[in-house]
Amino acid sequence: QVQLQQSGPGLVKPSQTLSLTCAISGDSVSSNSAAWTWIRQSPSRGLEWLGRTYYRSKWYNDYAVSVKSRILIKPDTSKNQFSLQLNSVTPEDTAVYFCARDRVVGTTKFFDYWGQGTLVTVSS
Amino acid sequence: QSALTQPASVSGSPGQSITISCTGTSSDVGGYNYVSWYQQHPGKAPKVMIYDVSNRPSGVSNRFSGSKSGNTASLTISGLQAEDEADYYCSSYTSSNTFYVFGTGTKVTVL
């Protein structure tokens, strides 16, 4: 059974960096059949896919164009986890952030496991 | 990339069937068989109910079924139960540089 456990601060000041971590159990961050993903949810923007990291002989990243200039998603193989950094945050980045596993096997793509969610508020 | 369009709310009595629509474009719903549906109870993470248009993950009730026609996907819940009351979101892979797009969400109420 795969479990994703999120950690990180719930309050970030405007213009600073939002940092969250997602610890994986029951799978490997280096899995060839998964992509490790960050998704956020807010009343104004709904559910929004932010980006992913995955390993296919080497590491790849994909990011949503809306945050591409400010986002970094990194794997940490030593701790079997991955992280999200979002720079220069504004109040519009206030949301519940989820990590999730994107099951990518053959012709299948969907988010089958999710973290518990972290409410991040951007406020001074 | 615009969100996929879902009705804001759908309701039904226990035992009835309801259907939730999810309308996109040929760049997402119509172009790929990668539509999935998620159930979300308040304060909880989404849970996948249907993937790849019509496949049910292990452990999900067979009262949930999915289909697609053109640019519109649908989720049907048959034999509606009180526990089905939740928000439901569709999602699709997209050819845009957003990779995945979600629906606007539908609140299901069991009367």
Side-chain angles (χ1 to χ4, degrees), chain B:
Chain B
Q1 175 69 43
S2 298
L4 306 175
T5 301
Q6 298 180 231
S9 63
V10 173
S11 61
S13 299
Q16 285 188 330
S17 293
I18 62 169
T19 297
I20 304 168
S21 61
C22 169
T23 301
T25 69
S26 57
S27 296
D28 38 63
V29 174
Y32 301 94
N33 287 326
Y34 295 135
V35 177
S36 48
W37 289 90
Y38 301 87
Q39 176 192 66
Q40 186 178 34
H41 287 107
K44 299 295 187 182
K47 172 190 174 185
V48 62
M49 306 304 283
I50 294 289
Y51 68 94
D52 296 349
V53 175
S54 59
N55 293 310
R56 242 185 345 267
S58 172
V60 171
S61 171
N62 59 9
R63 298 185 298 104
F64 291 84
S65 61
S67 63
K68 188 184 85 166
S69 177
N71 295 336
T72 298
S74 298
L75 173 72
T76 298
I77 309 174
S78 57
L80 201 61
Q81 299 180 1
E83 68 211 48
D84 300 331
E85 189 162 289
D87 294 326
Y88 291 82
Y89 296 90
C90 60
S91 175
S92 175
Y93 187 79
T94 171
S95 59
S96 81
N97 47 18
T98 313
F99 291 90
Y100 287 95
V101 61
F102 287 91
T104 51
T106 299
K107 181 174 181 58
V108 169
T109 302
V110 181
L111 301 171

Side-chain angles (χ1 to χ4, degrees), chain A residues 59-94:
Chain A
W59 288 101
Y60 295 87
N61 288 100
D62 295 313
Y63 299 124
V65 66
S66 60
V67 294
K68 193 168 187 176
S69 63
R70 304 190 289 130
I71 190 172
L72 179 64
I73 296 176
K74 288 193 312 185
D76 182 341
T77 56
S78 66
K79 295 181 179 178
N80 201 32
Q81 64 186 31
F82 63 109
S83 62
L84 167 69
Q85 289 183 28
L86 189 64
N87 303 320
S88 305
V89 296
T90 71
E92 281 222 337
D93 294 310
T94 294

Side-chain angles (χ1 to χ4, degrees), chain A:
Chain A
Q1 178 77 350
V2 176
Q3 290 188 321
L4 303 177
Q5 181 67 39
Q6 298 177 217
S7 59
L11 181 64
V12 182
K13 289 182 167 49
S15 80
Q16 294 194 341
T17 297
L18 180 161
S19 296
L20 296 173
T21 298
C22 184
I24 303 164
S25 58
D27 198 356
S28 168
V29 71
S30 304
S31 168
N32 280 311
S33 58
W36 303 97
T37 303
W38 288 97
I39 294 164
R40 67 183 178 183
Q41 184 176 30
S42 66
S44 59
R45 301 171 75 100
L47 283 164
E48 181 182 13
W49 182 90
L50 297 177
R52 63 186 178 182
T53 188
Y54 57 99
Y55 185 78
R56 302 290 186 269
S57 303
K58 68 174 186 176
W59 288 101
Y60 295 87
N61 288 100
D62 295 313
Y63 299 124
V65 66
S66 60
V67 294
K68 193 168 187 176
S69 63
R70 304 190 289 130
I71 190 172
L72 179 64
I73 296 176
K74 288 193 312 185
D76 182 341
T77 56
S78 66
K79 295 181 179 178
N80 201 32
Q81 64 186 31
F82 63 109
S83 62
L84 167 69
Q85 289 183 28
L86 189 64
N87 303 320
S88 305
V89 296
T90 71
E92 281 222 337
D93 294 310
T94 294
V96 177
Y97 287 75
F98 293 99
C99 60
R101 186 178 81 166
D102 182 357
R103 186 78 172 141
V104 183
V105 179
T107 56
T108 288
K109 296 181 193 295
F110 66 107
F111 306 108
D112 58 351
Y113 291 98
W114 296 64
Q116 78 273 24
T118 301
L119 173 60
V120 179
T121 302
V122 179
S123 174
S124 53

